[in-house]
């Protein structure tokens, strides 16, 4: 019996497998009229369905109260004409009724019926041209409100489907989508939509993985046919869309939308005679007295009626834009509101705002805002007010720089503006030098961002800008060349690497250091063998002498590029070398320790090399002389993203020659530098006690000190505090640096996302998420030649505001989920230097206490009604202050100074 049982089992298995593989094809054939078993939408038949369409908005908290609504009614579908596979369906949406959320309702889900404009809308039958599951056109009665038109398109889209397994490209109320059909049984199939796009609707995004916004979508529809496969028994569509901040996935919200058609009855109905579908449409139009307009299934967004002009919005928010409030939350909140309003502003409106005497004291902030708006109109107005080639005074120069900075920081640059700036730069030779430098830096940064946004590193514009910068670099002489290295740093074009390597190998010492800085800003995947070979030569000075900054940057690159065992061994053995540049040795050792602290595998490799060499594995070698430091300390750890402070201080003769403090975010191995403060100085050795042990392998440089800032990956023109000993001594004797002075202020948009999402229900959701920072950088310095000491303080203050919303805005109901988060972080870097005998340098990096607020608001209202539902939730977290431990050597020196 066993062999017989096995044979029947095998036969049964093959049969069920064959049936499962084939029924999709059978259904497809039937729908095409090649099989009589299934014939949907029979001519002369009316089918009635219960209709239910729901939209729910909520935040991410489990168990949170939501807002939303649903519409129900009866949908009647009549097949009034048929020819071959083409059918004309007359559809009526009868008695649509709005149900809204109510605290007092006892019904499931908390919904209750409510009167609205929906019931009073003119509502006549509409027509669908249906051919083998595809809707070729929708004919809608002319003059009906857009809200009702979109709702009817949502109903129509439910009847576009293919009864077969396979993947298609379709357009419906969700947009242009990739659609996959999966048959679950001979009478049930599932339709899944992915990659839906709506290129005709406004779309703004930040392509940065960390500073970007993620929108996750799922769309699925289930179709059930009756047992005889002669009509659709039910259609159930469900979709979810979540909008979340990449850097903090707790900030966001989601939409749930669903549609249901449930069979009620089927009965005979009248038909319309005609040779073609157009003849039949004409007859129906005359019969019902309706003028039909032919449309696609794509829905249209409804424009808000309560838009405020830019000038009026500025009037309301002017008190929040004062310079003294930058670095606080006030400026950030106003900034977001004005960017939103300004993107729809007219030239007249913008001009009126800039010309108003009331706005004279906030003009720098207004130019920040206009730089982020970046429309054709805003740029033309700004250029008419600030003629780059003929700026009248220092005030106009500063305003022009503020506008250009904002352009360069924006995540979605306007190509037309870039091209206009290139034209102005190349045609006008009389541009003020500092503005000219800012223009070329802005062009480079905007071009890089445009290529990133379009995912096209071979963009023609990139080549044009690179060629412009290289040509200007070759023409310039001496210090005039420096800005073009910084421009190449902002552009980050791979094809510029050979030019940078040329200046490292053959250029002046300072040019080589600037070229290294540019290369360091490129993503490490672009550090090819040629780059790393030059870095190795520079660090070990194999072919010539290099500036110490070139050597320390080269060391950073070699360590970050996952060095081979041979190279790592050579780097560690450098600590044993007779090279007298002990600050370079100290920097190397500190960087190796910093990387090892965050990378267990790298740490093990380092320990293995040290343990095998007795000369390395001793205190004198592993405690090299020098004050240079390199360290990383976390200021944020969360499931979504980590934040760290990276401080690198290259010291020469007890003075910071090159120092940086970077704020870096890290998500899944991707790093994003939010802000970098760099301090540089040269020629200050004479103010310190001499160090005969320290190598002086560099040319004598002029006495200079300054600051350079990199904001959101864009370096701006460096600020020079003084040039020459005469200017320095003037500051020392007058004490002009001893009062805290603002060095840099700006309003910047960190997060920028705007998306209009077409829902299958026919409604269009607006998803908006923006985050702004109001930033202030201030500092002071006291130098006492009598006591031979100095004290400096650098304060970074920021007000960070993030606002997001999900809206459904129709003429008969409005639902919205909104959230906002805010924090005012500060970071202080205090440095004390005592050079009365031996040089002692004490650095203290601290972060004062701050408060993080997260508020959620959900509202629902019905235009023309007193109904308004509001749900609010408030969260407050105190972020404790902290002082960052740097290293033991720094602690010892602090003790020596303050003991």
């Amino acid at each position: 019996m066993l062999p017989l049982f096995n044979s029947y089992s095998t036969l049964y298995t093959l049969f069920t497998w064959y049936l499962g593989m084939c029924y999709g094809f059978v259904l497809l054939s039937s729908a095409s009229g090649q099989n009589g078993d299934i014939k949907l939408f029979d001519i002369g038949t009316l089918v009635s369905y219960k209709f239910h369409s729901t939209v729910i908005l909520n935040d991410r908290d489990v168990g949170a109260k939501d807002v939303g609504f649903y519409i129900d009614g009866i949908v009647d579908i009549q097949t009034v004409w048929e020819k071959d596979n083409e059918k004309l369906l007359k559809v009526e949406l009868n008695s649509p009724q709005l149900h809204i959320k109510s605290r007092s309702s006892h019904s499931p889900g908390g919904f209750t019926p409510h009167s609205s404009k929906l019931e009073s809308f003119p509502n006549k039958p509409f027509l669908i041209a249906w051919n083998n599951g595809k809707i070729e056109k929708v004919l809608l009665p002319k003059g009906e409100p857009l809200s009702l038109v979109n709702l009817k398109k949502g109903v129509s889209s439910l009847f576009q489907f293919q009864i077969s397994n396979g993947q298609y490209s379709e357009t419906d109320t969700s947009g242009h989508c990739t659609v996959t059909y999966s048959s679950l049984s001979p009478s049930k199939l599932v339709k899944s939509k992915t990659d839906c796009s709506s290129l005709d609707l406004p779309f703004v995004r930040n392509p940065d993985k960390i500073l970007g916004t993620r929108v996750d979508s799922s769309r699925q529809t289930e179709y059930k046919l009756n047992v005889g496969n002669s009509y659709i028994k039910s259609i159930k569509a469900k979709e979810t869309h979540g909008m979340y901040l990449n850097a903090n996935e707790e900030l966001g919200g989601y939409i749930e939308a669903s549609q249901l058609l449930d069979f009620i009855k089927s009965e005979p109905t009248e038909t319309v005679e005609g040779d073609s579908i157009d003849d039949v449409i004409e007859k129906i139009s005359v019969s019902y007295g309706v003028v039909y307009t032919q449309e696609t299934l794509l829905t249209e967004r409804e424009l808000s009626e309560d838009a405020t002009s830019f000038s009026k919005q500025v009037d309301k928010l002017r008190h929040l834009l004062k310079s003294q409030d930058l670095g606080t939350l006030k400026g950030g909140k106003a900034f977001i509101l004005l960017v939103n309003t300004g993107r729809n502003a007219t030239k007249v409106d913008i001009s009126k705002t800039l010309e108003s005497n009331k706005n004279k004291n906030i003009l720098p902030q207004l130019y920040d805002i206009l730089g982020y708006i970046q429309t054709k109109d805003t740029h033309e107005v700004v250029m008419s007010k600030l003629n780059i080639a003929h700026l009248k005074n220092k005030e106009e120069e500063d305003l022009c720089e503020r506008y250009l900075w904002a352009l360069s920081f924006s995540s979605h640059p306007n190509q037309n503006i870039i091209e206009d700036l290139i034209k102005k730069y190349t045609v006008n030779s009389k541009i003020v030098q500092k503005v000219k430098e800012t223009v070329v830096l802005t062009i480079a940064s905007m071009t890089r961002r445009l290529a990133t946004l379009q995912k096209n590193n071979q963009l023609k514009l990139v080549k044009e800008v690179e060629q412009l910068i290289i040509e200007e670099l070759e023409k310039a002489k001496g210090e005039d060349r420096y800005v073009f290295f910084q421009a190449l740093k902002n552009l980050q074009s791979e094809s510029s690497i050979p030019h940078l390597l040329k200046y490292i190998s053959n250029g002046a010492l300072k040019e080589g250091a600037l070229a290294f800085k540019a290369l360091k800003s490129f993503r490490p995947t672009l550090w090819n063998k040629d780059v790393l070979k030059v870095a190795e030569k520079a660090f070990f000075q194999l072919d010539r002498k290099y500036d110490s900054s070139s050597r320390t940057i080269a060391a950073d690159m070699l360590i970050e590029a996952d060095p081979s065992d041979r190279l790592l061994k050579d780097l560690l053995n450098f600590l044993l070398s007779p090279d007298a540049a002990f600050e370079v040795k100290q920097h190397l050792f500190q960087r190796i320790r910093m990387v090892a602290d965050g990378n267990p595998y790298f740490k093990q490799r380092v320990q293995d090399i040290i343990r095998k060499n007795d000369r390395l594995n001793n205190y004198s070698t592993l405690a090299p002389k020098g004050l240079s430091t390199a360290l990383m300390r976390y200021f944020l750890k969360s499931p979504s993203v980590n934040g760290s402070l990276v401080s690198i201080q290259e010291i020469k003769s007890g003075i910071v020659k090159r120092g940086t403090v970077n704020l870096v975010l890290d998500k899944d191995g991707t790093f994003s530098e939010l802000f970098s403060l760099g301090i540089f100085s040269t020629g200050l050795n004479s103010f310190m006690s001499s160090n005969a042990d320290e190598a002086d392998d560099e040319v004598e440089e002029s006495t200079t000190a300054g600051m350079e800032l990199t904001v959101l990956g864009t370096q701006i023109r460096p600020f020079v505090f003084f040039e020459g000993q005469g200017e320095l001594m003037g500051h020392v004797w007058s004490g002009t640096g001893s009062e805290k002075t603002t060095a840099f202020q700006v309003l910047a948009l960190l997060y920028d996302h705007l998306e209009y999402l077409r829902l299958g229900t026919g409604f269009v959701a607006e998803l908006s998420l923006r985050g702004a920072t109001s930033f202030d950088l201030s500092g002071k310095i006291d130098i006492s030649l009598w006591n031979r000491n100095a004290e400096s303080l650098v304060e970074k203050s920021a007000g960070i505001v993030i606002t997001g919303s999900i809206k459904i805005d129709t003429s008969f109901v409005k639902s919205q989920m909104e959230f906002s988060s805010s924090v005012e972080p500060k970071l202080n870097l205090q440095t004390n230097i005592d050079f009365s005998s031996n040089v002692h340098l004490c650095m203290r990096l601290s972060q004062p206490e701050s408060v993080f607020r997260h508020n959620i608001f959900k509202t629902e209202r019905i235009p023309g009604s007193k109904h308004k539902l509001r749900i609010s939730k408030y969260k407050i977290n105190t972020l404790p202050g902290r002082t960052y431990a740097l290293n033991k050597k720094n602690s010892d020196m602090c003790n020596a100074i303050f003991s």
Side-chain angles (χ1 to χ4, degrees):
M1 292 296 292
L2 187 58
L4 181 61
F5 174 77
N6 283 342
S7 63
Y8 275 118
S9 298
T10 304
L11 192 60
Y12 176 77
T13 302
L14 289 172
F15 175 75
T16 53
W17 173 83
Y18 179 77
L19 179 64
M21 291 295 291
C22 292
Y23 65 68
F25 174 75
V26 171
L27 291 177
L28 175 63
S29 301
S30 303
S32 304
Q34 298 173 19
N35 188 300
D37 294 336
I38 301 176
K39 191 169 177 61
L40 298 176
F41 303 120
D42 268 348
I43 182 73
T45 301
L46 181 149
V47 185
S48 297
Y49 295 92
K50 289 181 182 179
F51 171 68
H52 198 286
S53 179
T54 305
V55 176
I56 296 294
L57 309 181
N58 208 346
D59 62 280
R60 295 208 68 183
D61 279 2
V62 177
K65 294 181 179 179
D66 53 34
V67 293
F69 58 89
Y70 76 77
I71 299 164
D72 64 4
I74 301 296
V75 172
D76 290 333
I77 304 173
Q78 303 177 54
T79 307
V80 297
W81 178 85
E82 178 182 36
K83 186 175 183 180
D84 298 328
N85 295 321
E86 191 174 24
K87 301 174 188 285
L88 183 65
L89 311 179
K90 187 179 79 170
V91 186
E92 291 186 68
L93 175 58
N94 298 308
S95 306
Q97 172 70 58
L98 175 68
H99 298 249
I100 49 88
K101 282 284 183 175
S102 172
R103 291 190 181 93
S104 60
S105 174
H106 299 291
S107 61
F111 289 100
T112 187
H114 200 290
S115 60
S116 70
K117 294 180 181 180
L118 178 62
E119 293 94 74
S120 61
F121 284 160
N123 180 12
K124 295 184 178 180
F126 59 100
L127 307 174
I128 298 175
W130 192 87
N131 191 337
N132 273 343
K134 290 187 178 180
I135 295 178
E136 297 180 334
K137 54 188 173 184
V138 181
L139 296 114
L140 296 156
K142 188 175 181 179
E144 290 188 346
L146 181 56
S147 297
L148 183 59
V149 168
N150 285 341
L151 183 61
K152 288 181 174 181
K153 288 183 176 181
V155 174
S156 302
S157 289
L158 292 173
F159 297 106
Q160 178 162 270
F161 58 93
Q162 299 296 311
I163 312 180
S164 64
N165 293 330
Q167 192 173 89
Y168 303 84
S169 179
E170 294 182 1
T171 299
D172 61 13
T173 45
S174 298
H176 306 284
C177 307
T178 299
V179 182
T180 303
Y181 292 95
S182 303
S183 300
L184 303 181
S185 73
S187 59
K188 184 190 293 186
L189 73 148
V190 172
K191 171 182 178 179
S192 300
K193 291 186 275 189
T194 58
D195 302 323
C196 294
S197 62
S198 296
L199 300 180
D200 58 316
L201 296 178
F203 182 51
V204 176
R205 71 180 181 94
N206 187 338
D208 190 282
K209 182 176 179 180
I210 296 176
L211 295 179
T213 302
R214 193 176 88 244
V215 176
D216 295 333
S217 296
S218 172
R219 302 174 176 91
Q220 197 169 81
T221 306
E222 181 186 271
Y223 292 84
K224 286 184 180 179
L225 306 182
N226 68 318
V227 176
N229 291 333
S230 58
Y231 61 83
I232 299 171
K233 188 176 180 181
S234 68
I235 303 176
K236 296 179 182 178
K238 185 174 182 179
E239 57 187 303
T240 59
H241 308 277
M243 177 181 71
Y244 313 112
L245 196 68
N246 280 339
N248 188 344
E249 295 183 5
E250 294 180 2
L251 302 183
Y254 66 88
I255 310 170
E256 285 186 356
S258 62
Q259 287 173 286
L260 171 65
L261 282 179
D262 210 0
F263 176 79
I264 301 175
K265 64 179 180 178
S266 174
E267 59 187 34
T269 188
E270 61 185 10
T271 61
V272 181
E273 298 296 326
D275 295 331
S276 68
I277 195 169
D278 292 333
D279 291 340
V280 176
I281 292 169
E282 180 65 25
K283 288 182 179 180
I284 294 175
S285 177
V286 172
S287 175
Y288 282 91
V290 177
V291 177
Y292 287 102
T293 59
Q294 180 177 319
E295 298 191 27
T296 67
L297 289 173
L298 286 176
T299 50
E300 297 180 34
R301 69 184 177 110
E302 300 185 53
L303 299 178
S304 177
E305 299 174 358
D306 54 356
T308 305
S309 71
F310 184 66
S311 55
K312 288 182 179 178
Q313 191 77 290
V314 171
D315 287 340
K316 292 179 183 177
L317 302 172
R318 186 183 296 111
H319 66 287
L320 301 177
L321 292 172
K322 297 176 182 177
S323 295
Q324 58 265 35
D325 289 328
L326 292 184
T328 68
L329 293 175
K330 293 179 181 178
K333 292 176 180 177
F335 182 44
I336 291 175
L337 290 171
L338 288 169
V339 169
N340 292 344
T341 305
R343 283 177 173 162
N344 296 312
T346 63
K347 284 185 181 181
V348 174
D349 194 14
I350 298 167
S351 294
K352 178 182 176 182
T353 305
L354 294 177
E355 291 168 1
S356 173
N357 288 329
K358 294 180 181 179
N359 297 330
K360 187 174 181 180
N361 293 330
I362 61 166
L363 281 177
Q365 289 76 267
L366 290 180
Y367 280 104
D368 283 341
I369 292 163
L370 294 175
Y372 275 95
I373 292 171
Q374 265 193 61
T375 61
K376 179 176 177 289
D377 286 347
T378 57
H379 183 67
E380 289 181 359
V381 171
V382 170
M383 290 296 99
S384 68
K385 305 294 181 186
L386 302 173
N387 187 333
I388 286 181
H390 301 94
L391 296 170
K392 300 172 186 175
N393 49 46
K394 186 178 183 302
E395 181 184 1
E396 285 197 355
E397 293 172 12
D398 291 343
L399 291 175
C400 189
E401 278 204 293
R402 287 289 284 261
Y403 176 69
L404 292 169
W405 288 341
L407 290 177
S408 64
F409 301 153
S410 175
S411 62
H412 59 286
N414 185 321
Q415 184 166 340
N416 294 327
I417 294 178
I418 300 174
E419 292 169 350
D420 181 64
L421 291 177
I422 293 173
K423 182 179 179 182
K424 285 178 167 56
Y425 180 86
T426 53
V427 170
N428 300 303
S429 58
K430 296 183 179 180
I431 304 176
V432 177
Q433 183 62 26
K434 73 173 186 179
V435 175
K436 188 174 184 179
E437 291 179 4
T438 300
V439 171
V440 72
L441 290 170
T442 299
I443 290 170
S445 179
M446 292 180 73
T447 302
R448 182 193 82 241
R449 293 185 188 279
L450 183 67
T452 303
L453 192 65
Q454 298 184 0
K455 298 181 180 179
N456 182 8
N457 292 325
Q458 302 302 316
L459 194 68
K460 183 181 177 183
L461 186 62
V462 176
K463 301 299 179 185
E464 293 176 359
V465 171
E466 181 185 330
Q467 184 177 355
L468 170 65
I469 296 171
I470 296 296
E471 289 176 355
E472 293 288 287
L473 173 61
E474 299 291 344
K475 287 191 300 183
K477 302 295 181 183
E479 294 185 2
D480 290 342
R481 283 181 163 178
Y482 295 171
V483 68
F484 301 110
F485 289 107
Q486 293 154 359
L488 291 175
K489 176 183 174 184
N490 281 351
L491 184 62
Q492 294 182 19
S493 170
E494 183 176 0
S495 56
S496 69
I497 290 177
H499 298 280
L500 293 169
L501 294 180
K502 181 183 74 172
Y503 280 95
I504 290 173
S505 299
N506 304 313
L509 293 180
K510 182 65 179 291
E511 292 172 356
L514 289 170
F516 259 123
K517 281 186 180 180
L519 282 174
K520 180 69 167 61
S521 70
F522 287 38
R523 59 184 185 275
T525 54
L526 296 181
W527 299 343
N528 56 31
K529 291 181 180 180
D530 292 336
V531 172
L532 296 177
K533 184 177 180 180
V534 168
E536 190 172 348
K537 284 183 178 180
F539 177 75
F540 292 107
Q541 301 198 112
L542 299 178
D543 55 344
R544 57 175 288 197
K545 286 187 176 181
Y546 288 86
D547 182 273
S548 62
S549 293
S550 292
R551 299 183 72 188
T552 54
I553 296 171
D556 294 343
M557 294 173 67
L558 292 172
I559 294 168
E560 292 176 23
D562 190 20
S564 65
D565 290 340
R566 189 273 307 168
L567 179 56
L568 183 56
K569 185 176 180 180
D570 288 346
L571 289 171
L572 288 167
N573 283 334
F574 176 73
L575 300 175
L576 300 171
S577 72
D579 194 315
F582 55 79
E583 289 293 357
V584 174
K585 291 182 180 179
Q586 178 67 258
H587 175 91
L588 171 67
F589 182 65
Q590 293 285 339
R591 283 291 278 153
I592 289 175
R593 287 190 60 176
M594 186 183 109
V595 175
D597 286 342
N599 186 332
Y601 174 67
F602 183 81
K603 183 176 184 178
Q604 186 62 51
R605 292 175 62 201
V606 171
Q607 289 177 342
D608 289 344
I609 294 171
I610 291 174
R611 287 166 182 161
K612 291 176 182 178
N613 188 330
D614 292 338
R615 291 185 62 207
L616 266 178
N617 194 16
N618 65 73
Y619 177 79
S620 62
T621 303
L622 298 182
K625 182 181 178 182
L627 303 177
S628 297
T629 62
L631 56 92
M632 181 184 73
R633 298 291 183 267
Y634 284 106
F635 66 87
L636 169 67
K637 283 193 173 185
S638 73
S640 301
V641 70
N642 294 324
S644 57
L645 293 169
V646 178
S647 175
I648 297 175
Q649 309 296 324
E650 179 194 341
I651 308 298
K652 181 180 180 184
S653 300
I655 292 289
V656 176
K657 179 183 180 183
R658 180 181 66 90
T660 61
V661 178
N662 301 342
L663 273 67
V664 180
L665 294 181
D666 167 21
K667 181 178 177 66
D668 301 329
T670 298
F671 295 87
S672 179
E673 184 184 273
L674 292 183
F675 185 86
S676 175
L677 166 64
I679 300 293
F680 60 88
S681 67
T682 58
L684 295 178
N685 307 40
S686 59
F687 290 90
M688 301 297 166
S689 57
S690 61
N691 260 308
D693 295 335
E694 184 173 1
D696 186 10
D697 55 6
E698 301 170 27
V699 295
E700 187 64 31
E701 295 179 288
S702 61
T703 303
T704 306
M707 175 179 69
E708 53 187 18
L709 301 174
T710 301
V711 182
L712 301 175
T714 294
Q715 179 172 333
I716 64 175
R717 178 182 61 82
F719 299 97
V720 178
F721 299 150
F722 56 82
E723 290 184 292
Q725 288 197 9
E727 190 174 346
L728 169 60
M729 293 306 297
H731 287 298
V732 172
W733 293 119
S734 64
T736 52
S738 60
E739 296 294 326
K740 193 172 79 166
T741 305
T742 293
F744 178 71
Q745 287 184 326
V746 74
L747 291 168
L749 207 59
L750 296 175
Y751 304 98
D752 193 3
H753 187 92
L754 176 64
E755 181 175 353
Y756 289 93
L757 194 67
R758 285 187 166 106
L759 304 181
T761 54
F763 304 108
V764 180
E766 179 189 286
L767 280 62
S768 173
L769 196 154
R770 293 195 172 95
T773 180
S774 168
F775 184 81
D776 177 87
L777 177 65
S778 304
K780 65 177 182 178
I781 183 169
D782 273 325
I783 300 176
S784 172
L785 297 181
W786 183 262
N787 295 316
R788 296 185 67 77
N789 62 28
E791 179 181 341
S792 69
L793 173 66
V794 177
E795 292 184 346
K796 298 178 183 179
S797 302
I800 300 174
V801 180
I802 299 170
T803 65
S805 65
I806 300 175
K807 299 179 184 178
I808 304 290
D809 197 345
T810 76
S811 58
F812 63 89
V813 65
K814 299 178 185 293
S815 292
Q816 175 174 316
M817 194 290 298
E818 182 180 12
F819 62 88
S820 67
S821 298
S822 61
V823 66
E824 285 184 336
K826 292 187 178 181
L827 185 67
N828 300 331
L829 177 62
Q830 188 170 351
T831 305
N832 293 83
I833 305 175
D834 183 345
F835 48 95
S836 56
S837 55
N838 293 327
V839 176
H840 293 95
L841 170 67
C842 170
M843 291 188 296
R844 286 172 289 176
L845 189 63
S846 61
Q847 183 179 341
E849 179 183 283
S850 57
V851 176
F852 177 79
R853 292 180 170 86
H854 180 44
N855 304 327
I856 299 171
F857 309 100
K858 301 165 199 171
T859 58
E860 183 177 272
R861 62 187 180 90
I862 299 175
S865 165
K866 293 182 179 180
H867 169 78
K868 185 172 183 179
L869 176 67
R870 180 180 175 88
I871 301 171
S872 304
K873 186 163 51 179
Y874 304 92
K875 295 180 181 179
I876 298 178
N877 291 323
T878 299
L879 307 176
R882 63 181 72 180
T883 297
Y884 294 93
L886 302 186
N887 54 41
K888 185 177 184 302
K889 181 168 288 190
N890 184 73
S891 298
D892 291 342
M893 292 207 172
C894 290
N895 291 334
I897 292 177
F898 295 108
S899 60

